[in-house]
Amino acid sequence: LSPFGNSPIVAIKDVQMRAPAELYQKLTRYGQQHLLGFWDLLTEQQRVELCAEIAQVDFEAIAGCLRNQTEQNPWSVLSRAAEPPPTANGQLVSDASLDEARAAGRGALAKGQIGVVLVAGGQGTRLGFDHPKGMLPVGPVSGRTLFEILIDLVRARADLHGCRIPVVVMTSLATHDATVRYFADHDRLGLNAEDLEIVCQGNMPAVDRESGKILLAEPHRLALSPDGHGGLLQALEHHGTLARLGSRGIRHLFYAQIDNPLAQICDPLTIGFHTLRNSEMTTQVVRKTDPLQRVGNVVLLDNRVQVIEYSDLPEQVARQRAPDGSLRLWAGNIAVHVISVAFLERVAQRGPPLPFHLAVKRVPYVDANGRSQEPREPNAIKFERFIFDLLPSAQNAMVVEIDPAEGFAPVKNGLDVSTENPHTAQAAMTLQHARRWRAFGGQIHAGAVLELHPLVALDTRRLQDWIRRLPVCAASTYLQP
Ligand code: UD1
């Protein structure tokens, strides 16, 4: 049932008389005039705020999504035709072409053509942490936060390749203020002012799942939530970031999620494949270890690289095996992409627009009597765009397989869940750093944890210097340059 029923607190005809007629008419066209139901009870300031929120709503898009709801999920049929994607570094690639790609990637970095985007607008509901997820301490010895670890990686790459790498952090209504404060309080984590932009993504209102009416969080506030990481496109365009990056010579953006401390930020090999093969979007994947692993599935469909989200892939298709017994749709999305700036500009200006994905969720709201309701069951539909839906529009989209031990340890859950939590991410970092240390002849005592600052881990000369000074790491240690 609609929370607004047929008895709005203020009769609609009164609203029509008192609220701005143009606004009322616009809302009526979309059956959303109940948003003005409390108009007479609002202060002038609240009316201004309500109008501002309404002005940002794309009613046409919402109406379109709700009309096509039954067609939203054709994956059950489409996925049967999905094929595993070819990878740039698959079996037929020689060592020489890997070297060539690495050299091309280093070249693009050295020329200052690469920027970084970290998406950090998620509400982190599963983690149960009261701050933006980027502020979570995960360094196994250092206690450095996800923001610090990933920005350290960017700065290490800039240092190694003698270049500047601008960073865009995308936040949302839920994380923006705290993130801006965090970077201000921590001296922008060492980035120059002109190398950091914190841009806030847009919002979408939740609608009542039965009636399609937009929910109010308060009498003068819509129930808004972030519009998905696909909102990046509009956010970069809206804030003028794309144009600024383009004008300082940035040709490609290295995209990663804030939840993955192992992300191979600015990996030269991935960048090299992207540039050498004129790809507009390149994506890293890992081999899935379980058919139902909660990662998106990177597939080839209609000769285009696409991602089918884990929740959309029918179990029967997910369980299909190749003749050698391996998973047929094996490529898991780890949400690490290289995206060309020109491609983003083209799609931002000329489309096609990224589609909305609909999710049924529990959303608190105020009812027609102005009472706050905390539903126990999912009552609402939320709308999100996904950045990986750019892949089918990209020319020469590429897939690069990586070893998960070297690039994927996401923090999704709190410690109440045994997988993808802060401890599993720390364990993966510890193992990775130990492998690196031992590969150059260093030793570590059992029980000692060694954490390497990225500049030590990535710069072989620095690493070897440290191993000469500390051949055996006997106690837990954090090594910084
Ligand atoms: C996501 C991918 C999945 C992939 C997995 C890898 C989607 C829909 N699915 O799953 O294919 O295998 O990561 O870890 O993305 N974010 C925003 N704004 C938003 C929503 C999210 O910036 O409006 C950011 C979050 O801060 C986070 C990232 O996007 O960094 C992923 O969001 P999350 O909801 O955790 O996605 P998953 O379901 O884990």
Side-chain angles (χ1 to χ4, degrees), residues 119 121-122 126 201 226 228-229 257-258 295-296 309-310 333 386 412:
V119 288
R126 280 178 279 165
Q201 68 181 100
H229 42 63
Q257 297 187 164
I258 197 60
V295 286
E309 208 26 16
Y310 52 87
N333 169 36
F386 299 158
K412 307 279 183 190

Side-chain angles (χ1 to χ4, degrees), residues 88-90 93-104 268-269 273 276:
N89 51 345
V93 173
S94 65
D95 286 351
S97 49
L98 290 176
D99 287 346
E100 195 192 349
R102 261 185 219 103
L269 182 66
F273 279 127
L276 281 183

Side-chain angles (χ1 to χ4, degrees), residues 317-428:
V317 181
R319 290 191 183 282
Q320 286 172 354
R321 299 273 165 183
D324 67 359
S326 62
L327 279 180
R328 206 171 78 79
L329 300 183
W330 59 268
N333 169 36
I334 61 164
V336 172
H337 317 294
V338 185
I339 316 176
S340 296
V341 171
F343 170 54
L344 288 173
E345 278 169 345
R346 188 179 78 228
V347 182
Q349 283 155 23
R350 288 189 266 139
L354 293 177
F356 278 107
H357 294 249
L358 278 53
V360 178
K361 294 272 168 71
R362 224 173 43 80
V363 176
Y365 64 93
V366 290
D367 66 14
N369 298 314
R371 276 194 296 260
S372 297
Q373 298 290 346
E374 286 280 344
R376 296 222 182 102
E377 300 298 325
N379 60 315
I381 298 175
K382 284 187 174 182
F383 303 86
E384 285 198 3
R385 285 179 157 138
F386 299 158
I387 200 70
F388 53 65
D389 284 330
L390 282 172
L391 275 165
S393 305
Q395 296 297 318
N396 308 322
M398 304 261 337
V399 179
V400 177
E401 183 186 351
I402 64 149
D403 174 0
E406 292 293 333
F408 187 48
V411 183
K412 307 279 183 190
N413 305 309
L415 294 176
D416 52 325
V417 177
S418 63
T419 54
E420 300 193 335
N421 67 33
H423 285 175
T424 58
Q426 284 174 333

Side-chain angles (χ1 to χ4, degrees), residues 59-120:
F59 291 98
E60 198 54 53
I62 293 176
C65 285
L66 294 175
R67 262 197 311 275
N68 299 331
Q69 233 185 113
T70 45
E71 295 161 32
Q72 274 287 320
N73 202 359
W75 291 120
S76 53
V77 182
L78 287 179
S79 62
R80 284 167 211 284
E83 297 286 333
T87 57
N89 51 345
Q91 284 169 347
L92 299 176
V93 173
S94 65
D95 286 351
S97 49
L98 290 176
D99 287 346
E100 195 192 349
R102 261 185 219 103
R106 289 194 197 108
L109 282 158
K111 282 187 223 140
Q113 295 176 344
I114 308 297
V116 165
V117 172
L118 299 176
V119 288

Side-chain angles (χ1 to χ4, degrees), residues 262-281:
L262 244 50
Q264 297 175 351
I265 304 277
C266 294
D267 168 45
L269 182 66
T270 309
I271 296 172
F273 279 127
H274 176 84
T275 57
L276 281 183
R277 307 220 180 160
N278 290 321
S279 162
E280 288 186 319
M281 181 159 174

